[in-house]
Amino acid sequence: MKIVEQIKQPIAYEMDLFEQKFQLSMASKVALLNRITHYIVNRKGKQMRPMFVFLVSKMVSNGEVSERTYRGASVIELIHTATLVHDDVVDDSNRRRGFFSVNALWKNKIAVLIGDYLLSKGLLLSIDNNDFDLLKIISIAVREMSEGELLQIEKARKLDITEAVYYEIIRQKTATLIAACCSLGAASVKPESEHVETMRKFGELIGMAFQIKDDLFDYSDAQIGKPTGIDIKEQKMTLPLIYVLNQASKKDKKWLINSIKNHNKDTKRVKEVIGFVKDNGGLDYAIDKMKGYQMEALELLAKYPESDYKNSLKLMVNYVIDRKK
């Protein structure tokens, strides 16, 4: 059995029901909107985010979920989908998960409006049901994701990212949404309990490990749907590179910064940078940091009684680290 199917097993019923509720939550009277949202839904990914919501909810409440849990999962997926549609416009990307992106098929103007529509649908789903605690969790995540993206853009211009700033960027950009999924799962069944903050922290740790793993793929030769060296070409400062820059001699540092700033489209030069980062311990350092986050996340889970849901969350933590793409 594939690892994702194994993780999903204890919440298979909830995920099936969620699919139906999620599609209904997207519905509109405008035919064009329905056509585009139908296109998006049929090209969904692994749906890790709703899985986090249901697994956490069931783990902290001895197997219970509520209507609030389904709404929380739908809101997260609506907001996440909105950010992906907007990201493709920002990045001028024509592909998403191997298919044409919304902006490639319907142009930027419609893609931006679709993203806005999905965002408002998510917010209204919470407001109409008085889920104000869930809405607050989501709204904080959206604010932080926007701040993280802008902080990264600001720092990329100067290439002056310290390790501390890098962690703040990935915490906001990636970890905050997974943290929101986990705290939402807890809040949907145990509002205002200590589980909400514990699970938020748990999700944040997984998100940090997830992003560092993504950064490592930039140095891998495996076929993962993203070309090797793409982060360097886009002048994105990732942990392996930041570590090596901080350790390098003045001469090497100058060469590295010059390569990233002025020769990032030169395939040979990018390969040389990748080689330099590998040879100078950049990957080993990033792997150590990633495993540190993994261990911290597993320690938080250890406080909970044994259950199928806890086992699936453990599998999820390890899957984040071991995945091949």
Side-chain angles (χ1 to χ4, degrees):
M1 189 190 294
K2 278 187 176 167
I3 184 78
V4 177
E5 290 308 312
Q6 214 177 326
I7 293 166
K8 208 187 267 192
Q9 222 172 2
I11 50 162
Y13 170 78
E14 286 80 8
M15 287 299 289
D16 285 345
L17 189 52
F18 161 73
E19 288 272 323
Q20 298 162 33
K21 289 177 184 281
F22 179 58
Q23 290 192 25
L24 284 173
S25 71
M26 277 189 170
S28 157
K29 292 191 179 83
V30 179
L32 175 63
L33 251 170
N34 284 333
R35 195 155 77 243
I36 298 171
T37 54
H38 180 74
Y39 177 82
I40 293 168
V41 167
N42 285 338
R43 280 148 195 82
K44 61 183 180 299
K46 297 186 188 79
Q47 292 193 302
M48 288 300 193
R49 286 154 194 86
M51 281 159 69
F52 272 122
V53 175
F54 289 114
L55 286 170
V56 166
S57 166
K58 294 189 96 169
M59 181 183 74
V60 303
S61 66
N62 299 322
E64 295 298 312
V65 294
S66 66
E67 276 305 313
R68 268 164 59 86
T69 316
Y70 285 101
R71 288 198 296 269
S74 292
V75 170
I76 278 282
E77 202 65 349
L78 283 164
I79 304 278
H80 174 58
T81 309
T83 60
L84 293 183
V85 172
H86 281 167
D87 279 354
D88 287 338
V89 174
V90 170
D91 297 339
D92 205 12
S93 173
N94 291 324
R95 312 287 287 182
R96 166 71 60 185
R97 298 185 185 117
F99 296 95
F100 284 116
S101 57
V102 172
N103 50 301
L105 293 172
W106 286 281
K107 301 290 176 272
N108 284 350
K109 186 176 180 178
I110 287 177
V112 169
L113 293 169
I114 289 286
D116 291 347
Y117 172 76
L118 295 172
L119 191 63
S120 65
K121 278 295 232 186
L123 301 178
L124 283 168
L125 186 59
S126 294
I127 292 165
D128 292 344
N129 292 285
N130 294 331
D131 296 332
F132 296 113
D133 56 335
L134 305 187
L135 181 61
K136 186 174 183 183
I137 291 169
I138 295 282
S139 301
I140 289 169
V142 173
R143 181 195 70 200
E144 294 218 310
M145 285 156 67
S146 310
E147 283 180 353
E149 286 286 356
L150 287 163
L151 179 59
Q152 184 173 48
I153 290 167
E154 178 194 324
K155 293 295 179 183
R157 285 180 180 155
K158 297 181 191 158
L159 299 186
D160 64 344
I161 296 186
T162 61
E163 207 171 310
V165 169
Y166 164 81
Y167 291 132
E168 185 55 15
I169 289 171
I170 69 167
R171 187 191 67 72
Q172 291 186 313
K173 263 187 64 180
T174 305
T176 194
L177 191 63
I178 300 177
C181 296
C182 296
S183 58
L184 262 181
S188 71
V189 285
K190 299 273 185 187
E192 294 179 32
S193 68
E194 75 282 2
H195 302 297
V196 180
E197 175 53 25
T198 304
M199 287 294 104
R200 186 203 66 76
K201 185 67 189 162
F202 168 74
E204 185 173 285
L205 290 163
I206 293 178
M208 299 294 279
F210 182 93
Q211 187 56 56
I212 295 173
K213 178 71 175 184
D214 247 26
D215 291 352
L216 287 162
F217 283 138
D218 205 43
Y219 296 88
S220 145
D221 300 322
Q223 291 300 305
I224 54 153
K226 152 177 158 174
T228 304
I230 195 81
D231 289 339
I232 295 167
K233 286 172 187 153
E234 290 175 0
Q235 297 191 6
K236 279 185 188 159
M237 300 293 282
T238 59
L239 188 55
L241 187 56
I242 291 165
Y243 171 76
V244 167
L245 265 173
N246 288 339
Q247 305 301 312
S249 67
K250 229 176 184 170
K251 181 175 165 236
D252 286 337
K253 192 171 185 172
K254 199 174 167 188
W255 174 79
L256 277 167
I257 288 175
N258 183 30
S259 302
I260 296 157
K261 267 197 164 161
N262 305 315
H263 304 281
N264 55 32
K265 301 289 186 279
D266 177 342
T267 311
K268 183 170 172 281
R269 189 75 166 254
V270 169
K271 266 191 173 151
E272 284 169 12
V273 171
I274 289 172
F276 187 89
V277 170
K278 283 181 177 174
D279 294 344
N280 287 275
L283 301 197
D284 295 337
Y285 182 79
I287 288 166
D288 274 355
K289 288 287 178 188
M290 175 180 75
K291 289 193 168 162
Y293 286 119
Q294 176 194 23
M295 294 323 293
E296 272 189 76
L298 290 172
E299 276 166 27
L300 285 180
L301 276 187
K303 298 171 184 172
Y304 287 89
E306 291 307 314
S307 67
D308 289 345
Y309 319 115
K310 177 178 165 177
N311 288 339
S312 277
L313 284 167
K314 274 193 213 165
L315 279 174
M316 191 86 104
V317 175
N318 295 327
Y319 170 71
V320 160
I321 303 293
D322 301 330
R323 67 200 165 98
K324 299 288 181 276
K325 61 179 180 176

